[in-house]
Structures are given as structure tokens and as C-alpha cells.
Amino acid sequence: MPDVPGGPAASAPRPVPLPIVLVGPMGAGKSRVGSRLATSVGAPFVDTDQRIVERHGPIEEIFAREGESFFRAVEREVVAEALREEAVVSLGGGAVLDPATRRDLAGLAVVWLQVSADAVAPRLSGGTRPLIADGGLERWIRIRDERRPLYAEVAGLTIDTSRRSVARIVAEITEWAGARA
């Protein structure tokens, strides 16, 4: 029996290799895109920053209480765990700083979500992100530029989220990941 529009085959998730991993700077839309992508492909969504918060408390408090090196060790542990799951995984912006994480990403479906400074400014306003608390948008630009080569190293697909709808971004990632299957 042929598939009919709106029938069971139309709503079935497209098979894609998992995990699909989203990397990029803070404010690029990794959590938002990741959640929608996971729904689209019928997979769980893992936000590693959220998992850290659930286990250790707010990230800004971890930075204040324990420092960045402690946070990065916790982050590495959570990321290594998440990358073993059949899920859509959103990594914190600095997760790619760890060489072991970059090695773990080799061969996986990794998408680098880019965003312009103009587009990210309203997304960051009023936030509690510890690395840009002092320095604002200028600090964000420096961090993004420092990490750019690491994102490029691990990513198989790059998408600019500055002026594109989440639905369009999800469709592009799904098509790319499906072609990898």
C-alpha cells in the first residue's frame, strides 16, 4: 500500500545516525535547535549544561565556588557520558576546549551552529553566563573567535543560526545526518 500524505509513514522520524552533536558558542541556539531536532528525529535530547546543573547546581555558582577548571572537569565527564547515548546532544560552548572531547567527537555527526554578534546580543542580554559576566558582547566575541578553530576541527556541517528559522535549521541537519546513514 503506498504512503499517503499525513499517513503513518509521513509522521515517522527519518532514520539518522545517533548521536547528533551540536557545538558552537553560547547563544547560538544549541538547546533550542537540539530540542526541536530530537523531536523531529524521534530521539532523546541531552543538554550537557542542563545535566551539569541537575547534578551540581547552577553553572555560575560552580564557577564562583569551584572555579573554571573544576567546571571543565565536571563538563568533560558529563560530555563523555552523553556522547555514548543515542540522542541529540547539545554541548556547552567550551566543551570543545578539552582534547579528549575533540577525540570523542571524531567520526560523529557534529554540527557547528554559528551566530553573528549582532544576532546574539539580544539572546545574551540579562543572562547569567559566567564567562561573559565581565566584558559582555566584546568578551563573547573574543571567546567565539578563540574557539572557532576547534569548532571547525570537529564539525561536519556548519549552519549560521543568525537569521534562520529553527524549523529550517532542523530540516537541514536532518537531511545532512540522514545522508550519513
Side-chain angles (χ1 to χ4, degrees):
M1 180 168 153
D3 291 336
V4 292
S11 62
R14 181 174 181 172
V16 295
L18 295 170
I20 298 173
V21 184
L22 305 178
V23 300
M26 59 187 94
K30 298 180 301 288
S31 296
R32 191 169 187 206
V33 169
S35 176
R36 291 273 297 273
L37 177 62
T39 299
S40 174
V41 301
F45 175 60
V46 176
D47 181 322
T48 59
D49 280 351
Q50 185 57 41
R51 201 171 263 184
I52 291 168
V53 168
E54 290 166 2
R55 294 178 184 178
H56 299 277
I59 291 173
E60 62 274 11
E61 290 179 17
I62 298 170
F63 267 76
R65 188 179 61 241
E66 306 288 345
E68 185 175 357
S69 61
F70 177 83
F71 171 79
R72 294 295 174 203
V74 167
E75 180 179 52
R76 169 65 191 139
E77 177 182 306
V78 168
V79 166
E81 172 188 293
L83 294 179
R84 292 189 297 268
E85 298 179 36
E86 291 192 5
V88 172
V89 179
S90 168
L91 301 188
V96 296
L97 295 170
D98 190 292
T101 294
R102 293 195 306 275
R103 285 191 299 275
D104 288 351
L105 292 171
L108 297 181
V110 180
V111 181
W112 173 15
L113 298 183
Q114 295 181 334
V115 64
S116 70
D118 289 341
V120 83
R123 299 179 193 180
L124 298 177
S125 66
T128 58
R129 300 168 192 262
L131 286 180
I132 61 165
D134 296 324
L137 187 59
E138 293 77 24
R139 175 97 170 108
W140 179 89
I141 292 168
R142 282 193 310 275
I143 290 169
R144 178 204 59 190
D145 291 349
E146 289 167 2
R147 296 174 181 171
R148 187 180 306 225
L150 301 176
Y151 297 137
E153 174 187 329
V154 300
L157 175 67
T158 302
I159 298 177
D160 190 321
T161 66
S162 301
R163 306 275 181 248
R164 298 179 70 198
S165 72
V166 172
R168 188 168 167 204
I169 295 165
V170 166
E172 187 173 335
I173 294 169
T174 303
E175 182 179 332
W176 171 77
R180 290 175 47 96

